[in-house]
Amino acid sequence: MTGLPQAVLVRRGAYHDSVTLMRVSRALSELPGVEAAMVAMATDLNVSILREMGFGVPETDPGDLLIAVRAKDPDAAAEEAERRLTEVDRPGTGSDEQPPLTTRSAAARGPADLVLVSTPGEYAFFEALDAIEAGLPVMIFSDGVTVAQERRLKELAEARDVLVMGPDCGTAAIGGAGLGFANVLTPGPVGVVSASGTGAQQVTCLLDRAGAGVSHVLGVGGRDLSAEVGGLSAARALRMLDEDPATELIVLVSKPPAPEVARAVLGQRLRTPVVPVLLGTPALAQAGGLAPAGDLTQAAEQALRALGRPVPEWPSWPAPPGTRPAPKRIRGLYSGGTLGTEAALVAGQGDFVDYGDDAYTRGRAHPMIDPTLRAEALARAGERDVVLMDVVLGHGADPDPAASLAPAVAGTPATVVIALIGTEGDPQDLHRQAAAFREAGAAVFTSNAQAARHARSLV
């Protein structure tokens, strides 16, 4: 840290979404004379990061906005931050008609097939409730909805005969239209019901590479198969895909579920065969004559065999030759919770952190968009560590993750193994990303399970 002057401004109650704040922070950091800049909501995590960066942060509330700059002229840089935020707030030109202010008023104004809710968590429940009461299915991208609220929403949805995807549903694809974090997928015969966004992305990306393709991806939220929620959305989503003529086979993806809930959901009478991949649990049941898969890659492979298609070799790129001390432990730095869970189970050892957990995303962009925390963790890793991490491509994710993470990979003394989750059609260019990470010194795999096995073999 240098002796450059700094400025820390607090704007009480001035909310901006985390992606906007990340972009403003990056723009400030690139200005001449700026050494460090961060514009963020004053959550406990963000305040602690600012203090670690050497900023003196006054007393704040989580609903306050912080503008922190260290520069030759910090006041001018802070004014530039406020100018950029004002531009975001300025309403666009066009129709003089007042836009709808609530989901209820929007649903009443015109035809709609689906409501997508992406608001701070404390408001998401009420917007989703409006959607269900209007008779519309809803995807709740937001986290911060309580388990009791989730259960209430899904019980009401059962009564109204609509589907609730979420809360904390990061990925869906309906009829080829991706929602949230979405890869570019070839249409095909496999439908996916998933209580995991990145789990669904891994399975569908492998299916896409094998040429099988996907009909729909229906996310249900990571807690849906818990005892408290009871699998209400998963059961409905399975029935919906069972009735879909374009779906010949279904893959059910879940983090460790409540066994009794998994059995009930899979015990439904369905005509369509189901491949369940229920991470961290023994074989709970068989559905449609197909045994549960042990990991996400096995689920894709079982689906291919059930369709009578060949299972290809999943591409990987070995690390360039080098001389590093033999690693002694695995450190998992994951943006996807299910990918991290799978990696920990396959590796059988190590310390794993899910940077996509609510504790790390409150007031910050998701790590699939903002690599800052994981780049800092790479810098802290030691030469006897194997760092195992995911990089997820697709719409909604970082447009060029290698641009920010590859230098961190090159600069860490640790051995790095990357699970690169994406398709040939993704805008980031899967092969260019793989080449950049390999050039930085990492081993790269398109299968997360294979990446975890490789990491285990190095220790």
Side-chain angles (χ1 to χ4, degrees), residues 255-279:
K255 301 170 187 176
E260 67 279 9
V261 174
R263 292 190 186 97
V265 168
L266 290 169
Q268 299 179 105
R269 290 182 174 274
L270 303 174
R271 296 182 299 274
T272 309
V274 178
V275 175
V277 51
L278 311 174
L279 294 175

Side-chain angles (χ1 to χ4, degrees), residues 50 68 81 97 104 118 150 160 184 188 194 200 241-242 244 252 275 287 328 348 409 412 425 435 442 451:
L50 283 169
E97 183 181 9
R104 186 187 299 271
S118 180
E150 179 176 351
R160 298 297 176 93
V184 178
S194 183
L241 291 180
D242 188 45
D244 175 41
L252 173 64
V275 175
K328 286 193 171 183
V409 170
T412 183

